[in-house]
């Protein structure tokens, strides 16, 4: 069963059971003079990820030392807990490991901690590193009769390194933050990253000679969405040119199966008097933001709208990309409305919430299709039509929505599509993907509406 984090966003929030997923490295590597490629970070030996947090490798090892690293850097690393100095006059700490035994391991976070490694005699071994338990564990087996791993070629580097003056690292390789592959050999790399105006490309294993970049020199990135990436062995150096200022995170995904890069804001800021009820209030507020759904480029927000204008920004910066209406003061009405990119005073078109249309809404912004969907949740401004004395308690426990007083429970996707329902007070939601959902609790002909998030 997939572990989930449930976040409930509602005025009638009940107790929440939150189970936090552990973010294990997508893969693990062997490094050291006992390994096929010694201490060379550009040619480290990749293990096979058999399940999240469990890694194996079978092959020939030499006499010498070795340890395990989650990405191409000497720190962090995993080494044996019980390692001690094994050779007079040497400062390295190591533990002799042999086939048929298992060993407790520990994580070395940085160079202020002891650098521990495994000492091994030349031979053919199968190594299994399991970091899922309270204490990481290395199991060593005789690999004489076992085939090499992996049985199929590894076609992806495991990590990509974003670099360029559009990143916080600039052109300093020592400051780049690697983007991990989402799953072993998936070819998909996703991260949240701060970007600003400037150049951007992606290196393989901190190697200037191998990179993914644009298909043309200084290819402009002016809009949110998808762009084509191209591999280079160093014979060309084509970069993307980010053309908008920002100090917030963007979701960046590089898919090497399709050779594409997608870039979308982590959240969308909604600003204007319609958000606060204050005349001429065009300030940015962190609690007035739309959050991303399970679909890239689609965002949702539920809250109170007041009489006034409103528009949307990809950052808390007036110089960032902005979206608004296709005509001046387009009325915000229930249903699906067209949006456009707005820039400058000539087409700075906004949506207008009239006094008659004020109330509690769920807004969904789709940057892929340039649409805004508006659903009014009720004139009471509370996302529920159950009076306070009739409010019913509910929670999410063990991948179920539980509401003992409910006659029926429904779950809708943020688009409004019903994806699960039950009669009674307990609904299994263990199969939901990450995203934003709406729970509708029915009680004696009335209903309460709540929004929750699965991560």
């Amino acid at each position: 069963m997939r572990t989930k984090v449930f976040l409930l966003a509602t005025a009638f929030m009940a107790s929440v059971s939150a189970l936090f997923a552990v973010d294990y490295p997508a893969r693990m590597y062997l490094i050291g003079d006992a390994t096929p490629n010694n201490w060379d970070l550009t040619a480290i030996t990749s293990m096979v990820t058999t399940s999240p947090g469990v890694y194996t490798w079978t092959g020939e090892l030499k006499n010498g030392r070795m340890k395990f690293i989650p990405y191409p850097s000497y720190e962090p690393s995993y080494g044996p807990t019980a390692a001690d100095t094994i050779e007079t006059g040497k400062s390295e700490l190591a533990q002799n490991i042999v086939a048929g035994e298992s060993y407790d391991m520990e994580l070395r976070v940085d160079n202020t901690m002891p650098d521990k490694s495994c000492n091994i005699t030349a031979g053919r071994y199968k190594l299994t590193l399991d970091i899922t338990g309270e204490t990481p564990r290395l199991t060593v087996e005789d690999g004489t009769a076992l085939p090499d791993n992996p049985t199929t070629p590894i076609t992806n580097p495991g990590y990509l390194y974003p670099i360029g003056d559009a990143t916080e690292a600039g052109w300093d390789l020592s400051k780049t933050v690697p983007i991990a592959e989402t799953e072993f050999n998936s070819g998909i790399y996703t991260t949240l990253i701060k970007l600003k105006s400037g150049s951007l490309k992606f290196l393989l294993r901190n190697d200037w000679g191998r990179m993914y970049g644009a298909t043309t020199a200084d290819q402009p990135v002016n809009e949110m969405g998808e762009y084509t990436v191209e591999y280079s062995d160093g014979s060309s150096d084509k970069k993307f040119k980010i053309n908008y200022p920002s100090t917030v995170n963007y979701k960046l995904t590089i898919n090497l199966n399709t050779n594409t890069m997608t870039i979308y804001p982590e959240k969308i800021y909604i600003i204007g008097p319609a958000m606060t009820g204050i005349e001429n209030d065009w300030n940015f507020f962190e609690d007035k933001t739309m959050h991303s759904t399970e679909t890239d480029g689609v965002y949702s927000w539920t809250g109170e709208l007041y009489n006034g204008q409103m528009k949307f920004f990809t950052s808390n910066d007036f110089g960032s990309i902005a979206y608004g209406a296709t005509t001046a003061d387009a009325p915000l009405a229930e249903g699906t409305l067209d949006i456009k990119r707005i820039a400058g005073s000539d087409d700075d078109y906004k949506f207008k919430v009239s006094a008659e249309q004020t109330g509690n809404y769920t807004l969904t912004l789709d940057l892929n299709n340039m649409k805004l969907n508006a659903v009014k949740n009720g004139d009471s401004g509370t996302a529920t039509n159950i009076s306070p004395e009739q409010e019913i308690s509910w929670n999410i426990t063990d991948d179920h929505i539980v509401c003992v007083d409910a006659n029926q429970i429904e779950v809708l996707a943020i688009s409004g599509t019903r994806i699960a329902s039950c009669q009674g007070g307990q609904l299994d939601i263990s199969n939901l993907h990450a995203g934003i959902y709406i729970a509708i609790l029915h009680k004696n002909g009335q209903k309460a509406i709540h929004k929750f998030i699965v991560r």
Side-chain angles (χ1 to χ4, degrees):
M1 180 175 65
R2 184 168 62 88
T3 303
K4 297 183 175 70
V5 177
F6 298 97
L7 303 177
L8 308 180
T10 172
F12 303 104
M13 193 179 302
S15 60
V16 182
S17 172
L19 303 175
F20 292 89
V22 178
D23 187 15
Y24 294 114
R27 65 175 69 187
M28 194 71 65
Y29 302 90
L30 309 179
I31 195 166
D33 47 61
T35 69
N37 296 308
N38 299 313
W39 295 98
D40 186 353
L41 283 175
T42 67
I44 49 181
T45 302
S46 180
M47 304 179 76
V48 173
T49 307
T50 58
S51 63
V54 181
Y55 316 89
T56 67
W57 181 83
T58 302
E60 298 289 336
L61 294 174
K62 301 173 286 187
N63 289 323
R65 294 184 178 87
M66 56 172 286
K67 56 182 180 177
F68 304 86
I69 55 177
Y71 61 90
S73 175
Y74 294 116
E75 292 93 24
S77 65
Y78 286 90
T81 303
D84 199 354
T85 302
I86 61 170
E87 290 187 30
T88 303
K90 290 193 173 182
S91 60
E92 294 92 342
L93 301 178
Q95 181 180 10
N96 292 320
I97 63 172
V98 296
E101 299 290 340
S102 295
Y103 303 88
D104 287 343
M105 305 291 282
E106 64 183 35
L107 177 64
R108 180 182 190 240
V109 178
D110 55 42
N111 59 15
T112 64
M113 300 175 65
D115 189 2
K116 300 180 178 181
S117 58
C118 302
N119 191 64
I120 196 162
T121 302
R124 184 175 179 79
Y125 297 88
K126 178 180 179 180
L127 307 176
T128 301
L129 179 64
D130 184 344
I131 64 173
T132 62
E134 185 175 342
T135 301
R137 192 79 174 161
L138 172 67
T139 301
V140 184
E141 301 173 64
D142 186 340
T144 303
L146 300 174
D148 283 341
N149 283 337
T151 56
T152 56
I154 297 171
T155 58
N156 298 294
Y159 288 85
L160 294 175
Y161 294 78
I163 198 162
D165 46 27
T167 71
E168 293 186 301
W171 296 104
D172 188 343
L173 274 175
S174 67
K175 295 180 180 179
T176 56
V177 178
I179 306 172
E181 199 172 14
T182 55
E183 295 179 6
F184 177 76
N185 216 24
S186 69
I188 299 173
Y189 303 78
T190 296
T191 190
L192 290 177
I193 185 172
K194 286 185 171 63
L195 292 174
K196 54 188 177 181
S197 296
S199 298
L200 174 67
K201 61 180 180 178
F202 305 92
L203 303 181
L204 281 69
R205 296 183 180 174
N206 276 354
D207 182 349
W208 287 104
R210 295 182 297 161
M211 58 165 276
Y212 282 92
T215 55
T216 58
D218 292 328
Q219 181 176 344
V221 177
N222 300 323
E223 307 291 345
M224 302 291 99
E226 184 176 284
Y227 296 83
T228 301
V229 298
E230 183 177 88
Y231 174 76
S232 172
D233 58 4
S235 57
S236 66
D237 187 12
K238 300 170 186 174
K239 309 176 189 72
F240 291 103
K241 185 65 180 296
I242 307 297
N243 288 324
Y244 45 83
S246 177
T247 57
V248 300
N249 285 328
Y250 284 83
K251 182 182 179 184
L252 183 70
T253 300
I254 300 95
N255 187 332
L256 299 187
N257 304 304
T258 57
N259 286 329
T260 56
M261 174 187 76
T262 56
I263 179 170
Y264 290 102
E266 180 187 15
K267 54 190 175 182
I268 296 287
Y269 288 80
I270 319 176
I271 70 170
M275 302 305 296
T276 62
I278 301 173
E279 188 176 0
N280 295 321
D281 186 354
W282 293 98
N283 292 301
F284 291 92
F285 298 97
E286 289 299 321
D287 62 343
K288 308 292 185 183
T289 57
M290 310 182 81
H291 290 276
S292 58
T293 67
E294 62 180 348
T295 303
D296 282 351
V298 180
Y299 305 82
S300 177
W301 173 84
T302 297
E304 201 73 18
L305 291 181
Y306 303 90
N307 182 209
Q309 296 174 313
M310 58 184 289
K311 56 183 176 177
F312 306 88
F313 281 84
T314 59
S315 171
N316 54 354
D317 185 325
F318 283 105
S320 63
I321 295 173
Y323 300 93
T326 55
T327 58
D329 286 338
L332 185 80
E334 286 196 88
T336 301
L337 309 169
D338 290 328
I339 63 170
K340 65 176 292 185
R341 167 118 183 233
I342 54 176
S345 58
D346 292 338
D347 61 353
D348 186 16
Y349 298 148
K350 308 169 184 72
F351 289 100
K352 178 70 179 291
V353 180
S354 67
E356 294 76 19
Q357 289 295 325
T358 59
N360 189 270
Y361 283 81
T362 294
L363 302 180
T364 303
L365 189 72
D366 183 350
L367 298 184
N368 302 302
N369 298 299
M370 299 298 282
K371 300 290 184 181
L372 173 67
N373 183 261
V375 176
K376 195 171 187 180
N377 296 316
D379 293 332
S380 64
T382 63
T384 178
N385 64 358
I386 294 181
S387 60
E389 62 272 14
Q390 294 175 307
E391 289 172 16
I392 52 179
S393 62
W394 71 296
N395 60 20
I396 298 179
T397 305
D398 296 331
D399 285 347
H400 285 75
I401 293 178
V402 179
C403 178
V404 295
D405 294 328
N407 308 120
Q408 181 187 9
I409 302 175
E410 296 179 275
V411 170
L412 310 183
I414 199 65
S415 63
T417 303
R418 187 170 75 166
I419 57 176
S421 67
C422 73
Q423 298 298 316
Q426 183 166 298
L427 175 63
D428 184 354
I429 56 171
S430 60
N431 293 323
L432 293 187
H433 299 294
I436 300 176
Y437 298 91
I438 297 170
I440 304 178
L441 312 175
H442 295 264
K443 177 186 176 183
N444 300 328
Q446 297 180 307
K447 63 184 178 181
I449 302 173
H450 305 266
K451 187 170 72 172
F452 66 99
I453 301 172
V454 178
R455 295 196 186 281

